[in-house]
Amino acid sequence: MRIAVIGAGIGGLTAAAGLGADGHEVVVYERRDEPGAVGAGLTLFGNAFGALDAIGLGDSVRQVSSDAIARMRAGQRTPSGDWLVSMPSAMVPTLRSLHRAELHRALVESLPAGSLRLGQSTTVAGDGEPVVRLDGAEERFDLVIAADGLRSDARALLGLDRGVRYAGYTAWRGVTGSGVDVEGEAGETWGRGRIFGIVPLPDERVYWFATESTTAGQHADDEREAVRERFGNWHRPILACIDATPPGAVLRHDIYDLARIPASFVKGRTVLLGDAAHGMTPNLGQGAGQAIEDAATLTLLLRSGELDAALSRYDELRKKRTQAIWRQSRQMGKVAQASHPIGAGIRDALLRATPPRFMGRATQSIQRWTEP
């Protein structure tokens, strides 16, 4: 088939690489002039690698990622450094971390030659016909995959938009310019309305993120200093991670998710994928993983040869799976970002009382992806 993919993010590139390897003629349209990923680090769980392996991309992503975090003590701590709960490494054996730019590069290198078209803004047909509109002209395909992100123009044009919702907190992200000794420990530190996370990367650098419950739209002249003021007196090595990050390299974004999941991920022969279909908060670390699952599911279903049946099955499987995780992620965000002293105190007490094996089982349940 001839397939168009709108958006060269993680989900769109995974779909294009998988479908291209199956012999389909794939064209990827990206509005940006440069294909590099915007962002810092991320983690991929076993479900993402199961999906990548199913379409032949797992090994290339493993080569640019690290499993160091799976061998560390990880979980949630208090700002003083006391552990609220930690999970045995055996419960997250497949967890790997990497820089978004490296993942993006590995996926681009897996594309069929000449399939990526940069600096091209496209739209879709509102009736779901597999048409891409570019510079006033129309190009017809057998299938159009809309992977154009949380604020998807395609989703709106297809009449499937349910709006976006501010999650109530802002986030900073950074990658250290040099190695920082994390002392064999990673994970998140939960304060009142604030979180700081530490993730080791393959090249001995550290990816870190920080959040604060606040009103949307705020910015500081020096975002690194803003993070330092809020988290500089928390336990080691938080301050070291902040100080090892170049001042201009700290990103800040308010966190949004979809207000509601679309009634369908498919209209005609145009299909939503990734954040365009189910943009969620980052609290379960599943945004990229679910986009990869989408791409693998669609690729495998299309091997049946019957397009309309494959799209119907994709819609059924992916809406059920992602809606549950979207909901869980939103709820986890509310718990983790608790800012009232009573609410935060109850949260911490419940975490301390939760057996690590229970937390491990809950994590493993999210990682169960089954090939269609």
Side-chain angles (χ1 to χ4, degrees):
M1 290 189 297
R2 191 160 186 263
I3 301 173
V5 178
I6 300 178
I10 292 171
L13 290 175
T14 303
L19 292 165
D22 279 358
H24 299 288
E25 180 187 348
V26 181
V27 180
V28 183
Y29 296 98
E30 170 56 47
R31 70 179 64 186
R32 294 173 298 170
D33 293 325
E34 294 294 332
V38 176
L42 79 162
T43 53
L44 294 177
F45 291 83
N47 58 302
F49 280 100
L52 288 167
D53 286 337
I55 56 175
L57 297 173
D59 288 342
S60 62
V61 176
R62 286 187 183 90
Q63 289 176 5
V64 297
S65 63
S66 169
D67 65 351
I69 191 172
R71 299 190 300 272
M72 294 180 172
R73 186 180 186 185
Q76 282 76 34
R77 283 185 274 186
T78 67
S80 67
D82 293 336
W83 287 90
L84 295 168
V85 64
S86 62
M87 290 186 294
S89 59
M91 292 187 176
V92 285
T94 57
L95 178 62
R96 300 182 72 93
S97 60
L98 69 167
H99 199 288
R100 284 182 180 271
E102 290 300 308
L103 174 58
H104 193 276
R105 179 183 60 78
L107 293 173
V108 168
E109 291 177 353
S110 299
L111 294 176
S115 60
L116 180 58
R117 302 183 185 179
L118 301 174
Q120 298 192 354
S121 296
T122 57
T123 60
V124 301
D127 57 5
E129 284 295 300
V131 170
V132 168
R133 293 178 174 141
L134 173 66
D135 296 330
E138 290 190 351
E139 193 166 357
R140 180 165 289 275
F141 295 84
D142 297 299
L143 173 67
V144 174
I145 300 171
D148 53 340
L150 177 67
R151 300 180 187 277
S152 168
D153 291 334
R155 187 179 65 239
L157 287 168
L158 293 169
L160 301 174
D161 199 19
R162 312 296 286 273
V164 298
R165 175 202 71 117
Y166 177 53
Y169 61 97
T170 193
W172 295 268
R173 298 179 177 90
V175 174
T176 62
S178 59
V180 173
D181 185 5
V182 297
E183 302 174 7
E185 298 176 338
E188 296 181 347
T189 300
W190 289 6
R192 295 177 183 174
R194 292 175 180 171
I195 295 172
F196 197 97
I198 293 174
V199 180
L201 292 176
D203 55 3
E204 298 186 352
R205 294 185 297 168
V206 176
Y207 161 54
W208 59 264
F209 57 89
T211 68
E212 180 179 50
S213 296
T214 187
T215 54
Q218 299 189 54
H219 296 283
D221 292 334
D222 185 336
E223 295 294 0
R224 188 182 73 162
E225 185 58 29
V227 179
R228 207 174 190 277
E229 290 174 357
R230 290 162 172 79
F231 300 92
N233 63 348
W234 286 25
H235 67 79
R236 295 189 319 177
I238 288 176
L239 181 58
C241 289
I242 299 169
D243 286 347
T245 306
V250 176
L251 305 174
R252 180 174 180 173
H253 304 285
D254 291 337
I255 300 299
Y256 288 82
D257 64 354
L258 290 186
R260 296 176 66 187
I261 295 291
S264 175
F265 293 170
V266 176
K267 186 168 183 179
R269 291 192 171 180
T270 299
V271 56
L272 300 177
L273 186 147
D275 283 350
H278 45 69
M280 58 187 68
T281 67
N283 300 93
L284 293 179
Q286 280 290 327
Q290 291 308 302
I292 290 169
E293 282 189 19
D294 287 350
T297 299
L298 185 58
T299 298
L300 296 174
L301 287 170
L302 289 176
R303 290 177 181 174
S304 69
E306 213 301 298
L307 178 56
D308 291 330
L311 295 182
S312 178
R313 184 63 172 153
Y314 170 86
D315 194 26
E316 176 186 2
L317 291 173
R318 297 311 299 159
K319 186 177 177 185
K320 181 179 180 181
R321 165 83 165 152
T322 58
Q323 188 165 38
I325 294 176
W326 166 83
R327 187 179 296 113
Q328 291 174 49
S329 192
R330 177 180 285 191
Q331 186 60 41
M332 178 62 76
K334 292 178 181 178
V335 172
Q337 291 292 147
S339 56
H340 192 280
I342 294 177
I346 293 172
R347 175 201 67 193
D348 292 354
L350 289 173
L351 280 175
R352 286 191 175 98
T354 301
R357 62 181 182 277
F358 177 83
M359 296 290 290
R361 284 198 297 268
T363 300
Q364 289 176 324
S365 69
I366 295 173
Q367 296 186 52
R368 295 192 186 103
W369 174 75
T370 303
E371 291 187 25

